[in-house]
Amino acid sequence: MDSYGYIFTIDALLSLILIIVIIGVSADAMDIAGTKITDFSNEKSNERIVVDLAEVLIKTPGSPENWEEIKYFNRVTPGLRDIKSNYADNKLSMAKINYLKSNPNLMDKMIPEGLNCSLMIYPTDPSLPAIPVINRTPKDDSEVYIVNRTVSYEYSLYNIYSAIIMDNLENNFNKTGYICHYSSMTNTHKQPDFNKPKPGWICKPFKISAEDFNSTDFYLITYPPVLNDKNSLWLIDRPDNTTGSTQKFTKSPMNINSRINEIWDGNGLLVLHVYTSGASFNRFNVYLVGVPSGTPENNIKVDYIGLKSAYFILKIWN
Amino acid sequence: MDLITLDNKGYVISGLTLLLIIPALIMSLMLVNLINMDESTDQIKYDSLYHISNDLDANIPVLTREVLKENTAKVLMDGHAIPNSRMVIKTGLQTKIDDITENYGKETGASIQCTIKSINSPSDPYEIEIESEIVVNKENNSINRNISQNVSFMETEPKGKSVDCRIPDPLPFIKTKKYGAISVDGNRIHYGSTLSQYLKSKGINNSQIYENASSPLYFKPCPYDPYTSHGSCNMLINLKNCIDNGYYHKSNDGACLLCRLEGKATCDHMGLETFIVPLAGNYSELNGPCSIDHVIFSENGPQGYGTYPGKVVEYYYSYNRSNGIYLDNGHRNKYGISL
């Protein structure tokens, strides 16, 4: 204390005020920076979660690999990659997609608590229907993080039991040809030759499980839907039951439940035989497909068969 | 020069010092941000290493099939068994992997090492188990993965692919090498006199039955599953269709592919068996060596062979010629053929 009774000099007081102001401003700045860092960190964290989740779903078949066949999924980690495809193909399994669709809570186990997600698969061909795997909508005020990847998949509704593809057949036929019972016993089902051209039969075996038999409608689909090969015929029978008669392809798709019911014996091998006139320019493809019982016939189109590309859109939000 | 002019009485911090604290604080904040950015960069680098390892992972099945095809083709050419086939396949696969990793390393700037640790026969005889370790290093980041893959060598439809990925059965070529050449016609092996000579050299009765016999060339899984359905139908038509198409069947006794490459007809692993079919009409004998490949080629008995007889099963008759095979009771049961 000086002779005037002041503890601080004016200089000291001014310095103190300046220091307090600077500390205050710095503290405020730090607070703002801290908040921004937290926001940034959360944002980065959510971005990473959605990217990683997409990677896990697209690039892995899940754990265990056949998780879609398991009834109890306490220790299941879903992945959608088709087990038969390569890592780089981004090919998804429709069986896994459908199973995840009917058990959306499996996805909730893969994201942190407090987050929500949706997963849609939009085919690049707009005529194909979108697949809402996890169909949820974020609130208006939610901050949404999105990943968009290109994937491929075999269309969902169809299980292709047998496919006779006549394109490039001459290159592969001798390697892959199935010798049917007519060919080896009566020497009648000779192979076609598109180079000469020479008519003939293309035959392929297939099996239907008891579970599929009870829950599936069976169709023959041709491509093109109206065949130029007017002599084409089809027949389905068993090596040990050749009671069926050949039929023409009257329309596509063609319901063949009655024929399958007649010929299916529980566990035996069935054979699809297709006759072609052998004219190269009249080649066609035939698919024997199974769809869930009751599927409307107008939902069964040849366009839906085969590998389709699609956008895999995964969203997460708080 | 001090911006605020003060004397030396009682002042702890000079004005300039105070001003210096502010940039120091700002720099500290920048440093913290920089550290966070480094962490993000590290994560991106780690992801890139993971992708490299996955690419290698995806290449292993393709290369395995290539090595198997090369080795079986060599056996088909010279008829020599490959002793310790697992080691040979492992070395061949390692060489191919090394070529890929070297090129891949140059392209990506990463140090990549993929070591094939073992080749085994899994429970599915149409597969081979490959165990490998992939180590990828790049700029102080590294990833180490131990991978076990079951690679299928089963015949699949080429679907327009120019590469033929089917694997032929090497065993008949190894076993009959000493007795002359056998011919291949499409998907079947035609033994000519070699198989009957082979059986005769072992002192097996009725070896002449297998004069001009044939068997399938490529491994193809039989769709008549359960196997009892072969014989459960009228006139054994399923058995005929199975033989016509040259299918293979899972077998506890038959050798797996790796043991077949070593010239073994039987092994402890889950293996495969197929029918060796005598030429139509050669059925003057009611009994003959059992027509299962691992029985015909077995050398596990006290006399140097493990071949045992079977009774004739006629599965088709046409143009006064009968088609048949010889099966013992065990195999008749397996294929549902009445005793």
Side-chain angles (χ1 to χ4, degrees), chain A residues 9 11 48 87 172 175-176 178-179 184-185 204 207 239-240 267, chain B residues 6 11 43 54 157-158 160 224-226 237 241 244-245 316:
Chain A
T9 63
D11 284 346
R48 179 148 294 284
Y87 170 82
N172 299 321
K175 294 176 191 168
T176 61
Y178 167 76
I179 300 167
S184 60
M185 291 173 70
K204 269 202 167 177
K207 291 188 93 171
D240 58 336
N267 202 17
Chain B
L6 294 171
Y11 299 110
Q43 187 61 46
N54 273 327
E157 277 193 33
Y224 291 102
D225 191 5
I237 200 74
N241 194 247
D244 288 342
N245 282 286
Y316 187 58

PDB file of all heavy atoms in Angstrom, chain A residues 9 11 48 87 172 175-176 178-179 184-185 204 207 239-240 267, chain B residues 6 11 43 54 157-158 160 224-226 237 241 244-245 316:
ATOM      1  N   THR A   9      -0.994  -0.103  -8.469  1.00  0.00           N
ATOM      2  CA  THR A   9      -0.749   1.105  -9.256  1.00  0.00           C
ATOM      3  C   THR A   9      -1.752   1.099 -10.395  1.00  0.00           C
ATOM      4  O   THR A   9      -2.374   0.061 -10.701  1.00  0.00           O
ATOM      5  CB  THR A   9       0.668   1.075  -9.869  1.00  0.00           C
ATOM      6  OG1 THR A   9       0.722  -0.031 -10.760  1.00  0.00           O
ATOM      7  CG2 THR A   9       1.741   0.982  -8.820  1.00  0.00           C
ATOM      8  N   ASP A  11      -1.048   1.335 -13.464  1.00  0.00           N
ATOM      9  CA  ASP A  11      -0.458   0.451 -14.469  1.00  0.00           C
ATOM     10  C   ASP A  11      -0.824  -1.002 -14.201  1.00  0.00           C
ATOM     11  O   ASP A  11      -1.229  -1.749 -15.108  1.00  0.00           O
ATOM     12  CB  ASP A  11       1.077   0.579 -14.454  1.00  0.00           C
ATOM     13  CG  ASP A  11       1.511   1.870 -15.125  1.00  0.00           C
ATOM     14  OD1 ASP A  11       0.648   2.466 -15.804  1.00  0.00           O
ATOM     15  OD2 ASP A  11       2.680   2.249 -14.962  1.00  0.00           O
ATOM     16  N   ARG A  48     -17.355 -42.305 -40.625  1.00  0.00           N
ATOM     17  CA  ARG A  48     -16.576 -43.554 -40.613  1.00  0.00           C
ATOM     18  C   ARG A  48     -17.502 -44.741 -40.359  1.00  0.00           C
ATOM     19  O   ARG A  48     -17.367 -45.795 -40.977  1.00  0.00           O
ATOM     20  CB  ARG A  48     -15.491 -43.467 -39.531  1.00  0.00           C
ATOM     21  CG  ARG A  48     -14.656 -44.707 -39.425  1.00  0.00           C
ATOM     22  CD  ARG A  48     -13.253 -44.425 -39.020  1.00  0.00           C
ATOM     23  NE  ARG A  48     -12.554 -43.680 -40.039  1.00  0.00           N
ATOM     24  CZ  ARG A  48     -12.098 -44.190 -41.169  1.00  0.00           C
ATOM     25  NH1 ARG A  48     -12.265 -45.459 -41.436  1.00  0.00           N
ATOM     26  NH2 ARG A  48     -11.478 -43.454 -42.054  1.00  0.00           N
ATOM     27  N   TYR A  87     -14.241 -61.032 -53.854  1.00  0.00           N
ATOM     28  CA  TYR A  87     -14.288 -59.852 -52.997  1.00  0.00           C
ATOM     29  C   TYR A  87     -14.534 -58.588 -53.822  1.00  0.00           C
ATOM     30  O   TYR A  87     -15.280 -57.694 -53.424  1.00  0.00           O
ATOM     31  CB  TYR A  87     -12.957 -59.768 -52.249  1.00  0.00           C
ATOM     32  CG  TYR A  87     -12.727 -58.494 -51.507  1.00  0.00           C
ATOM     33  CD1 TYR A  87     -13.283 -58.311 -50.244  1.00  0.00           C
ATOM     34  CD2 TYR A  87     -11.947 -57.490 -52.053  1.00  0.00           C
ATOM     35  CE1 TYR A  87     -13.066 -57.139 -49.563  1.00  0.00           C
ATOM     36  CE2 TYR A  87     -11.725 -56.326 -51.372  1.00  0.00           C
ATOM     37  CZ  TYR A  87     -12.282 -56.146 -50.134  1.00  0.00           C
ATOM     38  OH  TYR A  87     -12.072 -54.977 -49.465  1.00  0.00           O
ATOM     39  N   ASN A 172     -18.945 -74.240 -75.870  1.00  0.00           N
ATOM     40  CA  ASN A 172     -18.918 -74.888 -74.567  1.00  0.00           C
ATOM     41  C   ASN A 172     -19.687 -76.188 -74.491  1.00  0.00           C
ATOM     42  O   ASN A 172     -19.561 -76.912 -73.524  1.00  0.00           O
ATOM     43  CB  ASN A 172     -19.526 -73.951 -73.519  1.00  0.00           C
ATOM     44  CG  ASN A 172     -18.735 -72.689 -73.425  1.00  0.00           C
ATOM     45  OD1 ASN A 172     -17.519 -72.728 -73.505  1.00  0.00           O
ATOM     46  ND2 ASN A 172     -19.423 -71.582 -73.267  1.00  0.00           N
ATOM     47  N   LYS A 175     -18.140 -79.446 -73.652  1.00  0.00           N
ATOM     48  CA  LYS A 175     -17.529 -79.498 -72.324  1.00  0.00           C
ATOM     49  C   LYS A 175     -18.583 -79.684 -71.238  1.00  0.00           C
ATOM     50  O   LYS A 175     -18.340 -80.301 -70.236  1.00  0.00           O
ATOM     51  CB  LYS A 175     -16.787 -78.191 -72.051  1.00  0.00           C
ATOM     52  CG  LYS A 175     -15.600 -77.976 -72.939  1.00  0.00           C
ATOM     53  CD  LYS A 175     -15.020 -76.621 -72.629  1.00  0.00           C
ATOM     54  CE  LYS A 175     -13.988 -76.238 -73.672  1.00  0.00           C
ATOM     55  NZ  LYS A 175     -13.626 -74.841 -73.552  1.00  0.00           N
ATOM     56  N   THR A 176     -19.761 -79.096 -71.442  1.00  0.00           N
ATOM     57  CA  THR A 176     -20.717 -79.053 -70.346  1.00  0.00           C
ATOM     58  C   THR A 176     -21.937 -79.923 -70.590  1.00  0.00           C
ATOM     59  O   THR A 176     -22.773 -80.050 -69.724  1.00  0.00           O
ATOM     60  CB  THR A 176     -21.207 -77.617 -70.110  1.00  0.00           C
ATOM     61  OG1 THR A 176     -21.850 -77.196 -71.297  1.00  0.00           O
ATOM     62  CG2 THR A 176     -20.062 -76.691 -69.777  1.00  0.00           C
ATOM     63  N   TYR A 178     -24.902 -82.306 -70.805  1.00  0.00           N
ATOM     64  CA  TYR A 178     -25.419 -83.387 -69.981  1.00  0.00           C
ATOM     65  C   TYR A 178     -25.958 -84.453 -70.929  1.00  0.00           C
ATOM     66  O   TYR A 178     -26.698 -84.139 -71.863  1.00  0.00           O
ATOM     67  CB  TYR A 178     -26.507 -82.824 -69.070  1.00  0.00           C
ATOM     68  CG  TYR A 178     -27.345 -83.859 -68.389  1.00  0.00           C
ATOM     69  CD1 TYR A 178     -26.857 -84.575 -67.306  1.00  0.00           C
ATOM     70  CD2 TYR A 178     -28.649 -84.116 -68.823  1.00  0.00           C
ATOM     71  CE1 TYR A 178     -27.636 -85.531 -66.674  1.00  0.00           C
ATOM     72  CE2 TYR A 178     -29.433 -85.062 -68.191  1.00  0.00           C
ATOM     73  CZ  TYR A 178     -28.918 -85.768 -67.121  1.00  0.00           C
ATOM     74  OH  TYR A 178     -29.693 -86.710 -66.499  1.00  0.00           O
ATOM     75  N   ILE A 179     -25.564 -85.686 -70.712  1.00  0.00           N
ATOM     76  CA  ILE A 179     -26.056 -86.769 -71.566  1.00  0.00           C
ATOM     77  C   ILE A 179     -27.352 -87.265 -70.957  1.00  0.00           C
ATOM     78  O   ILE A 179     -27.358 -87.877 -69.889  1.00  0.00           O
ATOM     79  CB  ILE A 179     -25.020 -87.909 -71.648  1.00  0.00           C
ATOM     80  CG1 ILE A 179     -23.715 -87.367 -72.233  1.00  0.00           C
ATOM     81  CG2 ILE A 179     -25.553 -89.068 -72.470  1.00  0.00           C
ATOM     82  CD1 ILE A 179     -22.547 -88.314 -72.081  1.00  0.00           C
ATOM     83  N   SER A 184     -28.806 -91.507 -74.419  1.00  0.00           N
ATOM     84  CA  SER A 184     -28.008 -92.715 -74.232  1.00  0.00           C
ATOM     85  C   SER A 184     -28.803 -93.992 -74.454  1.00  0.00           C
ATOM     86  O   SER A 184     -28.225 -95.027 -74.729  1.00  0.00           O
ATOM     87  CB  SER A 184     -27.412 -92.716 -72.823  1.00  0.00           C
ATOM     88  OG  SER A 184     -28.436 -92.694 -71.866  1.00  0.00           O
ATOM     89  N   MET A 185     -30.142 -93.926 -74.380  1.00  0.00           N
ATOM     90  CA  MET A 185     -30.918 -95.159 -74.503  1.00  0.00           C
ATOM     91  C   MET A 185     -31.554 -95.315 -75.880  1.00  0.00           C
ATOM     92  O   MET A 185     -31.529 -96.379 -76.465  1.00  0.00           O
ATOM     93  CB  MET A 185     -32.007 -95.204 -73.431  1.00  0.00           C
ATOM     94  CG  MET A 185     -31.412 -95.374 -72.049  1.00  0.00           C
ATOM     95  SD  MET A 185     -32.632 -95.244 -70.768  1.00  0.00           S
ATOM     96  CE  MET A 185     -33.543 -96.737 -71.010  1.00  0.00           C
ATOM     97  N   LYS A 204     -30.828 -80.468 -69.433  1.00  0.00           N
ATOM     98  CA  LYS A 204     -30.118 -80.113 -68.199  1.00  0.00           C
ATOM     99  C   LYS A 204     -30.856 -80.664 -66.984  1.00  0.00           C
ATOM    100  O   LYS A 204     -32.078 -80.490 -66.865  1.00  0.00           O
ATOM    101  CB  LYS A 204     -30.032 -78.596 -68.057  1.00  0.00           C
ATOM    102  CG  LYS A 204     -28.788 -78.031 -68.679  1.00  0.00           C
ATOM    103  CD  LYS A 204     -28.465 -76.695 -68.078  1.00  0.00           C
ATOM    104  CE  LYS A 204     -27.068 -76.271 -68.466  1.00  0.00           C
ATOM    105  NZ  LYS A 204     -26.745 -74.962 -67.953  1.00  0.00           N
ATOM    106  N   LYS A 207     -32.744 -80.149 -59.511  1.00  0.00           N
ATOM    107  CA  LYS A 207     -33.403 -80.769 -58.355  1.00  0.00           C
ATOM    108  C   LYS A 207     -34.286 -79.745 -57.663  1.00  0.00           C
ATOM    109  O   LYS A 207     -33.976 -78.551 -57.680  1.00  0.00           O
ATOM    110  CB  LYS A 207     -32.363 -81.293 -57.355  1.00  0.00           C
ATOM    111  CG  LYS A 207     -31.575 -82.470 -57.865  1.00  0.00           C
ATOM    112  CD  LYS A 207     -30.715 -83.076 -56.793  1.00  0.00           C
ATOM    113  CE  LYS A 207     -31.450 -84.213 -56.110  1.00  0.00           C
ATOM    114  NZ  LYS A 207     -30.612 -84.988 -55.206  1.00  0.00           N
ATOM    115  N   PRO A 239     -35.230 -89.317 -65.360  1.00  0.00           N
ATOM    116  CA  PRO A 239     -34.613 -90.444 -66.075  1.00  0.00           C
ATOM    117  C   PRO A 239     -35.415 -91.729 -65.898  1.00  0.00           C
ATOM    118  O   PRO A 239     -35.493 -92.537 -66.823  1.00  0.00           O
ATOM    119  CB  PRO A 239     -33.231 -90.555 -65.425  1.00  0.00           C
ATOM    120  CG  PRO A 239     -32.934 -89.179 -64.929  1.00  0.00           C
ATOM    121  CD  PRO A 239     -34.251 -88.609 -64.523  1.00  0.00           C
ATOM    122  N   ASP A 240     -36.033 -91.907 -64.718  1.00  0.00           N
ATOM    123  CA  ASP A 240     -36.763 -93.150 -64.476  1.00  0.00           C
ATOM    124  C   ASP A 240     -38.274 -92.985 -64.667  1.00  0.00           C
ATOM    125  O   ASP A 240     -39.038 -93.858 -64.296  1.00  0.00           O
ATOM    126  CB  ASP A 240     -36.464 -93.662 -63.062  1.00  0.00           C
ATOM    127  CG  ASP A 240     -36.837 -92.649 -62.001  1.00  0.00           C
ATOM    128  OD1 ASP A 240     -36.870 -91.448 -62.331  1.00  0.00           O
ATOM    129  OD2 ASP A 240     -37.096 -93.040 -60.848  1.00  0.00           O
ATOM    130  N   ASN A 267     -37.452 -86.492 -54.114  1.00  0.00           N
ATOM    131  CA  ASN A 267     -36.040 -86.120 -53.997  1.00  0.00           C
ATOM    132  C   ASN A 267     -35.247 -86.407 -55.268  1.00  0.00           C
ATOM    133  O   ASN A 267     -34.041 -86.263 -55.297  1.00  0.00           O
ATOM    134  CB  ASN A 267     -35.415 -86.881 -52.825  1.00  0.00           C
ATOM    135  CG  ASN A 267     -34.189 -86.189 -52.315  1.00  0.00           C
ATOM    136  OD1 ASN A 267     -33.977 -85.012 -52.601  1.00  0.00           O
ATOM    137  ND2 ASN A 267     -33.375 -86.902 -51.588  1.00  0.00           N
TER     138      ASN A 267
ATOM    139  N   LEU B   6       6.542   0.405 -18.544  1.00  0.00           N
ATOM    140  CA  LEU B   6       6.382   0.263 -17.098  1.00  0.00           C
ATOM    141  C   LEU B   6       7.757   0.280 -16.462  1.00  0.00           C
ATOM    142  O   LEU B   6       8.752  -0.058 -17.113  1.00  0.00           O
ATOM    143  CB  LEU B   6       5.721  -1.071 -16.770  1.00  0.00           C
ATOM    144  CG  LEU B   6       4.263  -1.259 -17.244  1.00  0.00           C
ATOM    145  CD1 LEU B   6       3.851  -2.688 -17.029  1.00  0.00           C
ATOM    146  CD2 LEU B   6       3.335  -0.313 -16.526  1.00  0.00           C
ATOM    147  N   TYR B  11       6.049  -5.647 -11.397  1.00  0.00           N
ATOM    148  CA  TYR B  11       5.414  -6.265 -12.560  1.00  0.00           C
ATOM    149  C   TYR B  11       6.007  -7.642 -12.831  1.00  0.00           C
ATOM    150  O   TYR B  11       7.213  -7.781 -12.979  1.00  0.00           O
ATOM    151  CB  TYR B  11       5.549  -5.377 -13.792  1.00  0.00           C
ATOM    152  CG  TYR B  11       4.874  -4.051 -13.590  1.00  0.00           C
ATOM    153  CD1 TYR B  11       5.605  -2.890 -13.458  1.00  0.00           C
ATOM    154  CD2 TYR B  11       3.479  -4.007 -13.484  1.00  0.00           C
ATOM    155  CE1 TYR B  11       4.977  -1.686 -13.231  1.00  0.00           C
ATOM    156  CE2 TYR B  11       2.855  -2.806 -13.251  1.00  0.00           C
ATOM    157  CZ  TYR B  11       3.593  -1.648 -13.131  1.00  0.00           C
ATOM    158  OH  TYR B  11       2.974  -0.477 -12.888  1.00  0.00           O
ATOM    159  N   GLN B  43      -5.572 -43.865 -40.620  1.00  0.00           N
ATOM    160  CA  GLN B  43      -6.701 -44.757 -40.861  1.00  0.00           C
ATOM    161  C   GLN B  43      -6.863 -45.020 -42.360  1.00  0.00           C
ATOM    162  O   GLN B  43      -7.096 -46.144 -42.791  1.00  0.00           O
ATOM    163  CB  GLN B  43      -7.975 -44.124 -40.287  1.00  0.00           C
ATOM    164  CG  GLN B  43      -9.190 -45.028 -40.320  1.00  0.00           C
ATOM    165  CD  GLN B  43      -8.995 -46.296 -39.508  1.00  0.00           C
ATOM    166  OE1 GLN B  43      -8.512 -46.234 -38.387  1.00  0.00           O
ATOM    167  NE2 GLN B  43      -9.341 -47.427 -40.083  1.00  0.00           N
ATOM    168  N   ASN B  54      -6.859 -57.826 -49.290  1.00  0.00           N
ATOM    169  CA  ASN B  54      -8.063 -58.477 -49.804  1.00  0.00           C
ATOM    170  C   ASN B  54      -7.909 -58.868 -51.270  1.00  0.00           C
ATOM    171  O   ASN B  54      -8.419 -59.899 -51.708  1.00  0.00           O
ATOM    172  CB  ASN B  54      -9.271 -57.554 -49.653  1.00  0.00           C
ATOM    173  CG  ASN B  54      -9.916 -57.722 -48.301  1.00  0.00           C
ATOM    174  OD1 ASN B  54      -9.918 -58.808 -47.741  1.00  0.00           O
ATOM    175  ND2 ASN B  54     -10.412 -56.645 -47.744  1.00  0.00           N
ATOM    176  N   GLU B 157     -19.728 -74.700 -64.890  1.00  0.00           N
ATOM    177  CA  GLU B 157     -19.993 -74.326 -66.278  1.00  0.00           C
ATOM    178  C   GLU B 157     -19.090 -73.177 -66.671  1.00  0.00           C
ATOM    179  O   GLU B 157     -19.046 -72.163 -65.980  1.00  0.00           O
ATOM    180  CB  GLU B 157     -21.441 -73.886 -66.418  1.00  0.00           C
ATOM    181  CG  GLU B 157     -22.371 -75.049 -66.581  1.00  0.00           C
ATOM    182  CD  GLU B 157     -23.729 -74.601 -67.038  1.00  0.00           C
ATOM    183  OE1 GLU B 157     -23.809 -73.625 -67.790  1.00  0.00           O
ATOM    184  OE2 GLU B 157     -24.704 -75.242 -66.644  1.00  0.00           O
ATOM    185  N   PRO B 158     -18.365 -73.302 -67.780  1.00  0.00           N
ATOM    186  CA  PRO B 158     -17.483 -72.207 -68.171  1.00  0.00           C
ATOM    187  C   PRO B 158     -18.237 -70.908 -68.487  1.00  0.00           C
ATOM    188  O   PRO B 158     -17.683 -69.846 -68.349  1.00  0.00           O
ATOM    189  CB  PRO B 158     -16.785 -72.747 -69.420  1.00  0.00           C
ATOM    190  CG  PRO B 158     -16.893 -74.225 -69.313  1.00  0.00           C
ATOM    191  CD  PRO B 158     -18.198 -74.477 -68.626  1.00  0.00           C
ATOM    192  N   GLY B 160     -19.000 -69.351 -71.154  1.00  0.00           N
ATOM    193  CA  GLY B 160     -18.359 -68.474 -72.123  1.00  0.00           C
ATOM    194  C   GLY B 160     -16.928 -68.118 -71.788  1.00  0.00           C
ATOM    195  O   GLY B 160     -16.259 -67.468 -72.571  1.00  0.00           O
ATOM    196  N   TYR B 224     -27.258 -87.415 -58.260  1.00  0.00           N
ATOM    197  CA  TYR B 224     -28.165 -88.434 -57.691  1.00  0.00           C
ATOM    198  C   TYR B 224     -27.810 -88.618 -56.222  1.00  0.00           C
ATOM    199  O   TYR B 224     -27.081 -89.536 -55.845  1.00  0.00           O
ATOM    200  CB  TYR B 224     -28.047 -89.749 -58.465  1.00  0.00           C
ATOM    201  CG  TYR B 224     -28.597 -89.651 -59.853  1.00  0.00           C
ATOM    202  CD1 TYR B 224     -27.756 -89.524 -60.950  1.00  0.00           C
ATOM    203  CD2 TYR B 224     -29.973 -89.652 -60.058  1.00  0.00           C
ATOM    204  CE1 TYR B 224     -28.268 -89.411 -62.229  1.00  0.00           C
ATOM    205  CE2 TYR B 224     -30.492 -89.544 -61.342  1.00  0.00           C
ATOM    206  CZ  TYR B 224     -29.635 -89.421 -62.415  1.00  0.00           C
ATOM    207  OH  TYR B 224     -30.156 -89.299 -63.678  1.00  0.00           O
ATOM    208  N   ASP B 225     -28.282 -87.697 -55.425  1.00  0.00           N
ATOM    209  CA  ASP B 225     -27.957 -87.653 -54.012  1.00  0.00           C
ATOM    210  C   ASP B 225     -29.264 -87.615 -53.229  1.00  0.00           C
ATOM    211  O   ASP B 225     -30.082 -86.721 -53.490  1.00  0.00           O
ATOM    212  CB  ASP B 225     -27.128 -86.388 -53.752  1.00  0.00           C
ATOM    213  CG  ASP B 225     -26.514 -86.361 -52.377  1.00  0.00           C
ATOM    214  OD1 ASP B 225     -26.658 -87.350 -51.665  1.00  0.00           O
ATOM    215  OD2 ASP B 225     -25.905 -85.334 -52.032  1.00  0.00           O
ATOM    216  N   PRO B 226     -29.597 -88.509 -52.334  1.00  0.00           N
ATOM    217  CA  PRO B 226     -28.751 -89.547 -51.774  1.00  0.00           C
ATOM    218  C   PRO B 226     -28.376 -90.623 -52.810  1.00  0.00           C
ATOM    219  O   PRO B 226     -29.158 -90.912 -53.724  1.00  0.00           O
ATOM    220  CB  PRO B 226     -29.607 -90.142 -50.663  1.00  0.00           C
ATOM    221  CG  PRO B 226     -31.019 -89.817 -51.040  1.00  0.00           C
ATOM    222  CD  PRO B 226     -30.954 -88.513 -51.778  1.00  0.00           C
ATOM    223  N   ILE B 237     -32.036 -97.077 -64.138  1.00  0.00           N
ATOM    224  CA  ILE B 237     -31.822 -96.043 -65.153  1.00  0.00           C
ATOM    225  C   ILE B 237     -30.987 -94.879 -64.594  1.00  0.00           C
ATOM    226  O   ILE B 237     -30.225 -94.239 -65.321  1.00  0.00           O
ATOM    227  CB  ILE B 237     -33.189 -95.563 -65.712  1.00  0.00           C
ATOM    228  CG1 ILE B 237     -33.004 -94.895 -67.068  1.00  0.00           C
ATOM    229  CG2 ILE B 237     -33.921 -94.662 -64.777  1.00  0.00           C
ATOM    230  CD1 ILE B 237     -32.719 -95.865 -68.155  1.00  0.00           C
ATOM    231  N   ASN B 241     -27.559 -93.393 -66.080  1.00  0.00           N
ATOM    232  CA  ASN B 241     -27.352 -91.977 -66.395  1.00  0.00           C
ATOM    233  C   ASN B 241     -26.123 -91.424 -65.667  1.00  0.00           C
ATOM    234  O   ASN B 241     -25.379 -90.603 -66.215  1.00  0.00           O
ATOM    235  CB  ASN B 241     -28.614 -91.187 -66.017  1.00  0.00           C
ATOM    236  CG  ASN B 241     -28.609 -89.808 -66.622  1.00  0.00           C
ATOM    237  OD1 ASN B 241     -28.515 -88.825 -65.910  1.00  0.00           O
ATOM    238  ND2 ASN B 241     -28.677 -89.711 -67.936  1.00  0.00           N
ATOM    239  N   ASP B 244     -23.161 -92.745 -67.602  1.00  0.00           N
ATOM    240  CA  ASP B 244     -23.040 -92.055 -68.896  1.00  0.00           C
ATOM    241  C   ASP B 244     -22.426 -90.666 -68.740  1.00  0.00           C
ATOM    242  O   ASP B 244     -21.683 -90.196 -69.594  1.00  0.00           O
ATOM    243  CB  ASP B 244     -24.426 -91.907 -69.550  1.00  0.00           C
ATOM    244  CG  ASP B 244     -24.941 -93.236 -70.067  1.00  0.00           C
ATOM    245  OD1 ASP B 244     -24.125 -94.159 -70.222  1.00  0.00           O
ATOM    246  OD2 ASP B 244     -26.166 -93.351 -70.281  1.00  0.00           O
ATOM    247  N   ASN B 245     -22.789 -90.001 -67.642  1.00  0.00           N
ATOM    248  CA  ASN B 245     -22.301 -88.633 -67.442  1.00  0.00           C
ATOM    249  C   ASN B 245     -20.972 -88.573 -66.684  1.00  0.00           C
ATOM    250  O   ASN B 245     -20.418 -87.484 -66.498  1.00  0.00           O
ATOM    251  CB  ASN B 245     -23.355 -87.798 -66.708  1.00  0.00           C
ATOM    252  CG  ASN B 245     -24.467 -87.360 -67.639  1.00  0.00           C
ATOM    253  OD1 ASN B 245     -24.270 -86.470 -68.463  1.00  0.00           O
ATOM    254  ND2 ASN B 245     -25.619 -88.009 -67.544  1.00  0.00           N
ATOM    255  N   TYR B 316     -28.131-102.077 -68.130  1.00  0.00           N
ATOM    256  CA  TYR B 316     -28.747-101.713 -69.409  1.00  0.00           C
ATOM    257  C   TYR B 316     -28.479-102.816 -70.422  1.00  0.00           C
ATOM    258  O   TYR B 316     -27.406-103.426 -70.422  1.00  0.00           O
ATOM    259  CB  TYR B 316     -28.163-100.383 -69.904  1.00  0.00           C
ATOM    260  CG  TYR B 316     -28.855 -99.854 -71.138  1.00  0.00           C
ATOM    261  CD1 TYR B 316     -30.227 -99.603 -71.144  1.00  0.00           C
ATOM    262  CD2 TYR B 316     -28.140 -99.606 -72.301  1.00  0.00           C
ATOM    263  CE1 TYR B 316     -30.863 -99.125 -72.271  1.00  0.00           C
ATOM    264  CE2 TYR B 316     -28.768 -99.122 -73.440  1.00  0.00           C
ATOM    265  CZ  TYR B 316     -30.128 -98.893 -73.410  1.00  0.00           C
ATOM    266  OH  TYR B 316     -30.751 -98.427 -74.530  1.00  0.00           O
TER     267      TYR B 316
END
